[in-house]
Amino acid sequence: KNEVEQSPQNLTAQEGEFITINCSYSVGISALHWLQQHPGGGIVSLFMLSSGKKKHGRLIATINIQEKHSSLHITASHPRDSAVYICAVPRYSARQLTFGSGTQLTVLP
Amino acid sequence: SAVISQKPSRDICQRGTSLTIQCQVDSQVTMMFWYRQQPGQSLTLIATANQGSEATYESGFVIDKFPISRPNLTFSTLTVSNMSPEDSSIYLCSVGGVNTEAFFGQGTRLTVV
């Protein structure tokens, strides 16, 4: 079993729809990262959160440490949100990140 | 925060040749990470580069194939040596992520023909 599981693997939505991407992890962590990868390959950090909820514009990230689960929500989705969204958790023993397999989001106009 | 400048952004190379990828960070950092992302896959850590010491390679990656330099706290290079089509991937450098926000370079999309 992978340490970090993401769902869905692929998601297609119409512009304006509310999007939810889920991430579950099996190890104890102190924080979780949500990342966005653009078609060119570059990766941007969206959130690092350790509890509760964070909001940035139309993006909202939540985490439940007890249930080892996090969600990324996009409100009023737009075609420019089309990208791969990746969750990642730190592995302290190796001082590195473990990545989920990513969710390919396509928002149609 | 950290801004990482990575180059080249993409390249098409002949098999048997080598390509060196550079990453420049706008602040001093102790650890830099090099990742490979094969088509349709998630990121796989190649090695961790510390300034002043040999890089630490993950299982399946060796120094002869992926030599890394870390001459100072703001710069690192990864060389992909004796390339084959199986090396076609996106290569990314990164800093942070364990107790801090993670920052990534723009990625190098490598195609080996």
Side-chain angles (χ1 to χ4, degrees):
Chain A
K1 186 178 186 298
N2 293 332
E3 291 181 346
V4 183
E5 298 273 357
Q6 267 187 255
S7 64
Q9 191 171 5
N10 293 282
L11 180 57
T12 300
Q14 291 295 134
E15 183 173 357
E17 286 187 7
F18 182 83
I19 304 292
T20 295
I21 299 170
N22 296 299
C23 178
S24 296
Y25 52 92
S26 58
V27 296
I29 65 169
S30 63
L32 179 143
H33 300 263
W34 280 105
L35 310 169
Q36 181 189 53
Q37 184 170 33
H38 293 281
I43 294 177
V44 174
S45 174
L46 298 176
F47 296 102
M48 183 181 79
L49 67 166
S50 56
S51 65
K53 180 169 75 173
K54 285 190 175 181
K55 184 176 188 292
H56 184 236
R58 295 180 293 106
L59 301 178
I60 302 168
T62 64
I63 189 169
N64 185 317
I65 294 291
Q66 287 74 28
E67 295 186 2
K68 293 186 169 63
H69 181 269
S70 177
S71 293
L72 177 68
H73 306 286
I74 304 175
T75 62
S77 59
H78 190 275
R80 64 175 175 266
D81 297 325
S82 298
V84 176
Y85 293 83
I86 303 168
C87 66
V89 300
R91 292 170 54 197
Y92 283 100
S93 61
R95 297 184 63 78
Q96 61 183 259
L97 291 174
T98 298
F99 298 86
S101 56
T103 295
Q104 173 69 63
L105 172 66
T106 304
V107 182
L108 302 175
Chain B
S1 66
V3 176
I4 304 177
S5 175
Q6 181 175 345
K7 56 183 180 182
S9 58
R10 59 177 60 232
D11 207 342
I12 301 174
C13 299
Q14 295 289 326
R15 67 177 66 201
T17 63
S18 298
L19 175 71
T20 296
I21 302 167
Q22 301 180 1
C23 277
Q24 178 77 51
V25 189
D26 69 342
S27 58
Q28 294 184 337
V29 293
T30 304
M31 299 171 73
M32 291 182 70
F33 304 97
W34 286 99
Y35 293 96
R36 180 177 73 182
Q37 185 179 32
Q38 295 177 300
Q41 303 295 315
S42 191
L43 283 75
T44 300
L45 182 65
I46 297 171
T48 303
N50 291 315
Q51 193 271 334
S53 64
E54 293 286 329
T56 302
Y57 288 82
E58 297 298 301
S59 175
F61 298 96
V62 295
I63 188 170
D64 290 345
K65 176 66 175 178
F66 298 100
I68 288 172
S69 78
R70 186 82 202 275
N72 56 54
L73 290 172
T74 64
F75 186 79
S76 180
T77 67
L78 170 76
T79 299
V80 187
S81 303
N82 188 24
M83 289 184 285
S84 67
E86 292 71 35
D87 295 318
S88 297
S89 297
I90 297 173
Y91 293 85
L92 295 118
C93 59
S94 174
V95 300
V98 177
N99 296 314
T100 63
E101 189 175 357
F103 300 94
F104 293 82
Q106 299 92 329
T108 297
R109 186 179 293 272
L110 171 62
T111 302
V112 183
V113 297

